Amino acid sequence: MSNTQQNDFSKWYIDTIQKADLMDYTPVRGCIAFKPDGFEIWEHIQDEMNRRFKETGHRNAYFPMLIPESFFQKEKDHIEGFAPELPWVTEAAGEPLEERLALRPTSETMIGHLYSDWIKSYRDLPVLINQWANVFRWEKKTLPFIRTSEFLWQEGHTAHSNEEEARHETMQMLNIYKEVVEELLAIPVYDGQKTPSERFAGAVDTFSIEAMMKDGKAVQAGTSHYLGTKFAEAFDIKYLTKENKHEFVHTTSWGTSTRLIGSVIMVHGDEQGLVLPPRVAPTQVVLIPVGPWKKNPAIMEKLDEVYAELKAKGIRVRLDDSDQSPGYKFNEWELKGVPVRIELGPRDLENSHAMLKLRDEEGKEAYALEGLVAEIENQLTAMQSRLLEKARAFRDENSHTNIETLGELTTHIATSQENNEIPGWILAGWCGDDACEEHVKQETKFTTRNIPFNPPVEKHTCINCGKDAKHTVWFARAY
Amino acid sequence: MSNTQQNDFSKWYIDTIQKADLMDYTPVRGCIAFKPDGFEIWEHIQDEMNRRFKETGHRNAYFPMLIPESFFQKEKDHIEGFAPELPWVTEAAGEPLEERLALRPTSETMIGHLYSDWIKSYRDLPVLINQWANVFRWEKKTLPFIRTSEFLWQEGHTAHSNEEEARHETMQMLNIYKEVVEELLAIPVYDGQKTPSERFAGAVDTFSIEAMMKDGKAVQAGTSHYLGTKFAEAFDIKYLTKENKHEFVHTTSWGTSTRLIGSVIMVHGDEQGLVLPPRVAPTQVVLIPVGPWKKNPAIMEKLDEVYAELKAKGIRVRLDDSDQSPGYKFNEWELKGVPVRIELGPRDLENSHAMLKLRDEEGKEAYALEGLVAEIENQLTAMQSRLLEKARAFRDENSHTNIETLGELTTHIATSQENNEIPGWILAGWCGDDACEEHVKQETKFTTRNIPFNPPVEKHTCINCGKDAKHTVWFARAY
């Protein structure tokens, strides 16, 4: 394979997900089919998120997908933000509907309507609910997993008696996202606050975790919103306090989506295709008999034994005894990003060892059959950490903190292009003026990603106007 | 509460699900919100189904919800069956669509289209895929959980190289449904074959499991279809055999839905409200301090200890230390159908025991604090079996096998009504003629449920025409 990842990242991405059999296109614009290996990555994310949501007192529920048009009208920022992307149901069972129904782009409105009924008194608070659902945003440019007309996500919706508690919830969920994305997907992220122009439509404050892909572009990997009393006011969600007063609740919402699947591919993949962190790999270990193994039944016996042992440990293992050649199999399983490959042939068996190949490293090594399973377990754990560290090193290398002015940024981008290097992200000062943010975007296509809670350095002058900076901000091109 | 269950079952059902806080109505016609306690029943069903699907080699995937109108036209029985109930998306992002898109009522067409691409050779078979999804059927009469415009379900879609294997799959999945419904939901079912008029639109053969509710009506609790080569022909799903020939695959599909939530309520509920089998109860045990417990900290200390022990055993336990009265709490948790209630007051503590109340039995008993957790575990296991046996006894008592003619059936129904008894199900002979089946339906509203694999007795003459019976069939009113 030629050097596609570096030269044409989009082509590399599409090739990789198709060769790894993760998805397929469909005739419905921007809607993809999630094939089993793609969907299973999502299932592992779901399991880990669900565990943490439940540990922090949240419960799952399910709300209707169809939302009456009138609901959207109630919060004006919300309708402005989402109206341009909505698909509408206008007829059902052979008759036109009296009111158009939108396919949900997010559920604040439907949930706001219901919470106004569910919440009566301080005894009913907090309400801590999450939903796993399909959502729709009919966007012009789509990219599998990253931006699709229909996608899968979870959306948490909570209601609290006061701002402090709601803000604490907003941060707690952002932290859970950071932990899951870093620990499970081995993707390092910057957590921080969105600028006003990048806020969720209808939020008081939006916080995000942002991840760098291998082409240097950013993916917003999760968001958590403090909604204040805006939706409470729009939908009349009030509660009776202990002091017998009626007050508006403070709400939050937070979400992560199947774009995490796209992110894990773009962060870890290499020229050979997919590389999956062990914790989300549908197949963690593949066992392949080599040499004249069909004449030598002891090889399959030994592999069956290793298979059973790995299975008993809860490791996701496949034994490939199909009649393809070993070379064909090696290639197939590499394309699928399987972390560990074990090869066993007659000579290996004689020497009481097996060959072990790690997906993210060159060369293979012999390991004694005695203790092989424990060795595999160790290697999986080590690879999980190694991938996170590699991604972190890559990100840090491509995070530039020495750019002070728009001129320097423009030069940096031009130089990167000339050298066939990625421009990466830049950390810069910002005065807080929307116009400065907009001007940088117009000139460079770099947008503000977030105002990181822990920037590597503090910046003191606005990259656009040169005045005092109010914030230190990550700028990058974004998906 | 008055004797509502017997006198007005529909009212009892709606009261019960609302008092148990399982769902809420929404302004979208026939669409409900699944509240956490309702949705968690579904989550337990999902876990158990997923475990068994995966054990039998199936994997989950996700397909687009929107299906182009032209796809439906390809299988004529299919479109005839579903067209009257489809909602349509006709515009998106401010523009009319070129082709209407249906909200999926089931996914055979979209999946057929994709399988024709995914399946090329015998090496690709079998394809064993399941999806968990929301589906839409815009029906006139709706009832929460049992029949809603949007509902949640799983739909398995498999493709095989030959009829025998596909038929084996169809039966295997029906058996899994039977096991899960009986073991997890404690609902006894009859498995059997649907008559042609009750087949899935587009199937060669449909098989079902049928359950009796407490009002004697039937719920089709799961279906499994052998689709032959009908969808393969409609969508051109062919594979290359080992002998280098192109042949159509044989497909199956099988589904269970959130109507199982409705079934578990209608099978086990009693005059006091919800009764949940321990294995699907969101809360299995509730601990309630009684008497002047606030003055006696040893009570909460002991309950905290029991709580921790139960939690450690994986039992879903709640400790209700709110400031409501014990009587209020007892009632609340009974309405929610919690299997076991533990009460502990000062006198109990003195005597080193706690009071244990089972949701499905009268009276409460004292059990030593020493060994209390083990006792609770035993009681939960015993209750799970007891509920299945009670439901089986109820069903058998209301399954009538002595009715030979339509006249006898009409009399039976009239007599039941006069005596305020439920008519239940009847097992009768059927000659195989659609017209006889239809006539029974017109006269009695009793429809064929299925032709059971293991009928309690064989019937020899058709209930309608008196000719020789080809089949022994369950007839009942159905949801």
Side-chain angles (χ1 to χ4, degrees):
Chain A
M1 210 183 280
S2 67
N3 203 8
T4 324
Q5 193 177 38
Q6 211 179 334
N7 293 326
D8 189 343
F9 193 77
S10 302
K11 182 178 183 319
W12 170 87
Y13 177 68
I14 298 296
D15 279 359
T16 293
I17 57 180
Q18 292 194 312
K19 285 183 179 154
D21 215 22
L22 301 184
M23 57 69 68
D24 199 1
Y25 291 101
T26 77
V28 184
R29 195 179 147 297
C31 291
I32 63 168
F34 294 73
K35 296 180 87 167
D37 275 341
F39 192 75
E40 191 174 327
I41 298 173
W42 185 236
E43 288 183 298
H44 294 306
I45 294 170
Q46 286 189 299
D47 286 347
E48 184 66 18
M49 293 271 187
N50 260 331
R51 191 175 68 72
R52 291 178 190 246
F53 294 167
K54 289 180 182 183
E55 271 173 14
T56 46
H58 302 84
R59 299 187 68 192
N60 289 327
Y62 186 77
F63 298 92
M65 193 200 66
L66 298 172
I67 300 183
E69 182 166 19
S70 55
F71 278 26
F72 281 97
Q73 308 297 347
K74 296 196 179 184
E75 215 296 319
K76 74 171 177 17
D77 293 334
H78 196 66
I79 181 73
E80 271 176 32
F82 286 105
E85 299 173 355
L86 298 178
W88 295 98
V89 173
T90 59
E91 37 187 276
E95 289 180 15
L97 297 178
E98 282 176 30
E99 180 181 11
R100 293 197 298 179
L101 301 170
L103 308 197
R104 67 180 154 221
T106 179
S107 301
E108 277 76 7
T109 56
M110 175 59 83
I111 291 176
H113 170 85
L114 290 165
Y115 279 9
S116 76
D117 211 48
W118 298 0
I119 297 168
K120 297 294 177 203
S121 120
Y122 69 91
R123 289 179 198 272
D124 301 323
L125 295 173
V127 173
L128 306 173
I129 286 180
N130 175 66
Q131 118 165 318
W132 294 92
N134 54 343
V135 280
F136 291 81
R137 298 182 188 174
W138 218 255
E139 306 200 62
K140 292 231 166 54
K141 268 186 77 174
T142 63
L143 185 65
F145 299 125
I146 293 291
R147 193 176 291 275
T148 48
S149 303
E150 178 185 19
F151 58 97
L152 303 177
W153 82 343
Q154 59 67 216
E155 48 179 323
H157 295 271
T158 70
H160 307 263
S161 58
N162 61 68
E163 173 166 355
E164 188 190 349
E165 194 185 297
R167 285 195 175 271
H168 177 267
E169 168 78 9
T170 310
M171 284 305 139
Q172 172 183 259
M173 302 325 287
L174 191 73
N175 282 335
I176 285 178
Y177 290 162
K178 185 175 200 277
E179 284 172 22
V180 172
V181 172
E182 295 196 340
E183 293 170 21
L184 189 76
L185 304 181
I187 300 177
V189 294
Y190 272 113
D191 49 352
Q193 181 164 9
K194 285 285 186 184
T195 63
S197 76
E198 296 272 338
R199 261 183 217 142
F200 174 76
V204 171
D205 281 315
T206 288
F207 303 89
S208 74
I209 53 171
E210 304 278 338
M212 187 191 290
M213 306 296 106
K214 272 205 175 156
D215 61 352
K217 286 171 77 173
V219 163
Q220 177 177 291
T223 48
S224 187
H225 318 290
Y226 170 60
L227 305 172
T229 57
K230 289 172 90 167
F231 284 89
E233 288 172 44
F235 289 93
D236 197 33
I237 319 176
K238 282 182 181 161
Y239 74 102
L240 198 65
T241 67
K242 280 188 186 172
E243 296 75 30
N244 248 353
K245 281 194 220 161
H246 283 94
E247 288 189 4
F248 286 119
V249 298
H250 294 249
T251 65
T252 83
S253 68
W254 26 275
T256 53
S257 76
T258 37
R259 72 184 343 212
L260 287 176
I261 303 173
S263 307
V264 84
I265 298 159
M266 289 194 183
V267 165
H268 300 296
D270 66 15
E271 291 297 344
Q272 275 66 54
L274 197 61
V275 176
L276 286 178
R279 290 190 60 192
V280 288
T283 302
Q284 297 173 309
V285 180
V286 61
L287 310 177
I288 300 179
V290 298
W293 58 277
K294 286 194 180 165
K295 293 183 201 148
N296 193 338
I299 289 174
M300 277 302 288
E301 277 165 31
K302 187 68 206 172
L303 286 178
D304 282 337
E305 205 180 286
V306 174
Y307 178 91
E309 255 188 89
L310 287 167
K311 195 105 184 162
K313 297 249 180 199
I315 292 171
R316 298 185 289 272
V317 56
R318 296 280 292 270
L319 172 50
D320 188 349
D321 59 355
S322 66
D323 43 6
Q324 306 284 10
S325 73
Y328 178 93
K329 293 180 189 178
F330 294 172
N331 186 49
E332 280 291 296
W333 293 105
E334 285 210 343
L335 291 175
K336 284 179 175 289
V338 175
V340 172
R341 179 174 87 219
I342 298 291
E343 307 166 15
L344 188 72
R347 204 174 302 170
D348 301 314
L349 200 57
E350 264 170 43
N351 295 320
S352 302
H353 70 215
M355 300 308 292
L356 185 153
K357 169 76 176 73
L358 296 168
R359 177 62 186 83
D360 67 326
E361 300 210 323
E362 295 297 316
K364 41 194 178 188
E365 276 190 62
Y367 285 94
L369 287 170
E370 179 82 34
L372 181 65
V373 166
E375 183 60 35
I376 292 171
E377 282 189 290
N378 291 340
Q379 293 286 359
L380 289 171
T381 310
M383 181 173 168
Q384 182 75 31
S385 314
R386 190 166 60 237
L387 289 180
L388 176 60
E389 290 323 310
K390 279 185 189 174
R392 201 188 295 281
F394 176 86
R395 183 193 66 174
D396 292 348
E397 206 175 291
N398 292 289
S399 296
H400 306 286
T401 60
N402 58 344
I403 288 169
E404 303 294 336
T405 65
L406 185 54
E408 285 172 29
L409 176 55
T410 315
T411 308
H412 167 73
I413 293 170
T415 315
S416 304
Q417 255 167 352
E418 276 165 33
N419 299 341
N420 199 17
E421 285 168 2
I422 62 172
W425 297 9
I426 68 141
L427 190 72
W430 176 51
C431 64
D433 189 339
D434 288 353
C436 285
E437 191 182 3
E438 183 60 27
H439 189 238
V440 173
K441 183 176 170 180
Q442 292 302 332
E443 294 293 310
T444 64
K445 294 185 181 163
F446 271 48
T447 54
T448 58
R449 301 325 308 147
N450 68 22
I451 303 165
F453 298 139
N454 300 299
V457 295
E458 293 285 347
K459 307 295 287 186
H460 302 289
T461 56
C462 177
I463 184 169
N464 188 60
C465 67
K467 291 190 193 149
D468 283 356
K470 274 204 193 126
H471 303 289
T472 299
V473 182
W474 284 116
F475 285 84
R477 287 195 62 171
Y479 277 101
Chain B
M1 210 182 280
S2 67
N3 203 6
T4 324
Q5 193 177 39
Q6 211 179 335
N7 293 325
D8 189 343
F9 193 77
S10 303
K11 183 177 181 323
W12 171 87
Y13 177 69
I14 298 296
D15 280 359
T16 293
I17 57 181
Q18 292 194 311
K19 286 183 178 154
D21 215 23
L22 301 184
M23 56 71 67
D24 199 1
Y25 292 101
T26 77
V28 184
R29 195 179 146 296
C31 292
I32 62 168
F34 294 73
K35 297 181 87 168
D37 276 341
F39 191 75
E40 190 174 328
I41 296 173
W42 185 236
E43 287 183 297
H44 294 305
I45 294 170
Q46 285 189 299
D47 286 348
E48 183 66 19
M49 293 271 186
N50 260 331
R51 190 175 68 72
R52 290 178 190 246
F53 294 168
K54 289 180 183 183
E55 271 174 14
T56 46
H58 301 83
R59 300 187 68 193
N60 289 326
Y62 186 77
F63 298 92
M65 193 200 66
L66 297 173
I67 300 183
E69 182 165 18
S70 55
F71 278 26
F72 281 97
Q73 307 297 347
K74 297 197 179 182
E75 215 296 320
K76 74 171 175 20
D77 293 334
H78 196 67
I79 181 75
E80 270 175 35
F82 285 105
E85 299 173 357
L86 297 178
W88 296 98
V89 174
T90 59
E91 37 187 277
E95 289 180 15
L97 297 177
E98 282 177 30
E99 180 180 11
R100 294 196 298 179
L101 302 171
L103 308 198
R104 68 181 153 219
T106 180
S107 301
E108 278 76 7
T109 55
M110 174 59 81
I111 291 176
H113 170 84
L114 291 166
Y115 279 8
S116 76
D117 211 49
W118 298 359
I119 296 168
K120 297 294 176 204
S121 119
Y122 69 92
R123 289 180 198 272
D124 302 322
L125 295 174
V127 173
L128 306 173
I129 287 181
N130 175 64
Q131 114 166 322
W132 294 92
N134 54 342
V135 280
F136 290 81
R137 299 182 187 174
W138 218 255
E139 306 201 62
K140 290 228 167 55
K141 268 186 79 176
T142 63
L143 185 64
F145 300 125
I146 292 291
R147 193 176 292 275
T148 49
S149 303
E150 178 185 17
F151 58 96
L152 303 177
W153 81 345
Q154 60 68 218
E155 48 180 324
H157 295 271
T158 70
H160 307 264
S161 58
N162 61 68
E163 172 166 355
E164 188 189 350
E165 195 186 297
R167 284 195 175 272
H168 177 267
E169 168 79 7
T170 310
M171 283 304 140
Q172 171 183 259
M173 301 325 286
L174 191 73
N175 282 334
I176 285 179
Y177 290 162
K178 185 175 200 278
E179 283 171 22
V180 172
V181 171
E182 295 196 341
E183 292 170 21
L184 189 75
L185 304 181
I187 299 177
V189 294
Y190 272 112
D191 49 351
Q193 181 164 10
K194 285 285 187 185
T195 63
S197 75
E198 296 273 337
R199 261 183 217 143
F200 174 76
V204 171
D205 282 315
T206 289
F207 303 89
S208 74
I209 53 172
E210 304 278 338
M212 188 191 291
M213 305 297 106
K214 272 205 176 157
D215 61 352
K217 286 170 78 172
V219 164
Q220 178 176 291
T223 48
S224 187
H225 318 289
Y226 170 61
L227 304 172
T229 57
K230 289 172 89 166
F231 284 88
E233 288 173 43
F235 289 92
D236 197 33
I237 320 175
K238 281 182 181 162
Y239 74 102
L240 198 64
T241 67
K242 280 188 187 174
E243 296 74 32
N244 249 353
K245 281 194 219 161
H246 283 94
E247 288 190 4
F248 285 118
V249 299
H250 294 250
T251 64
T252 82
S253 68
W254 26 275
T256 53
S257 76
T258 37
R259 72 183 343 212
L260 288 175
I261 303 172
S263 306
V264 83
I265 298 159
M266 289 193 184
V267 166
H268 300 297
D270 66 15
E271 291 297 343
Q272 275 65 54
L274 198 62
V275 175
L276 286 177
R279 290 189 60 191
V280 288
T283 303
Q284 298 173 309
V285 180
V286 61
L287 310 178
I288 301 180
V290 298
W293 56 277
K294 286 193 180 167
K295 293 183 201 151
N296 194 336
I299 290 174
M300 278 301 290
E301 277 164 30
K302 188 67 206 175
L303 286 179
D304 283 336
E305 204 180 287
V306 174
Y307 179 91
E309 256 188 88
L310 287 167
K311 195 104 183 164
K313 297 248 181 198
I315 292 171
R316 298 186 288 274
V317 56
R318 295 280 292 270
L319 173 50
D320 187 350
D321 60 355
S322 65
D323 44 7
Q324 306 284 11
S325 72
Y328 179 93
K329 293 180 189 176
F330 295 172
N331 187 50
E332 280 292 296
W333 293 105
E334 286 210 342
L335 291 175
K336 285 178 174 290
V338 174
V340 172
R341 178 174 87 220
I342 299 291
E343 307 165 15
L344 188 72
R347 203 174 304 171
D348 301 313
L349 199 58
E350 263 170 44
N351 296 320
S352 301
H353 70 215
M355 299 308 293
L356 185 154
K357 169 74 175 74
L358 297 167
R359 177 62 186 84
D360 67 325
E361 300 211 323
E362 294 298 316
K364 41 194 178 187
E365 277 190 61
Y367 286 94
L369 287 171
E370 179 82 36
L372 180 64
V373 166
E375 182 61 35
I376 292 171
E377 282 189 291
N378 292 340
Q379 293 287 358
L380 289 170
T381 309
M383 182 171 166
Q384 182 76 30
S385 315
R386 191 167 59 237
L387 288 181
L388 176 61
E389 289 323 309
K390 280 185 189 173
R392 200 186 297 280
F394 176 86
R395 182 192 67 174
D396 292 349
E397 206 175 290
N398 292 288
S399 295
H400 305 286
T401 59
N402 59 345
I403 287 169
E404 303 293 335
T405 65
L406 185 52
E408 284 172 26
L409 176 55
T410 315
T411 308
H412 167 74
I413 293 170
T415 314
S416 305
Q417 255 166 350
E418 276 165 34
N419 300 340
N420 199 18
E421 286 169 1
I422 61 171
W425 296 9
I426 68 142
L427 190 72
W430 175 51
C431 63
D433 189 337
D434 288 352
C436 285
E437 192 183 5
E438 182 60 26
H439 189 238
V440 173
K441 183 177 172 181
Q442 292 301 331
E443 294 293 310
T444 64
K445 295 186 181 162
F446 271 49
T447 54
T448 58
R449 300 326 307 148
N450 68 22
I451 302 165
F453 298 139
N454 300 298
V457 296
E458 293 284 348
K459 306 296 288 185
H460 302 289
T461 56
C462 177
I463 185 169
N464 187 62
C465 66
K467 290 189 192 149
D468 282 356
K470 273 202 193 129
H471 304 289
T472 299
V473 181
W474 284 116
F475 285 84
R477 286 195 64 171
Y479 276 101

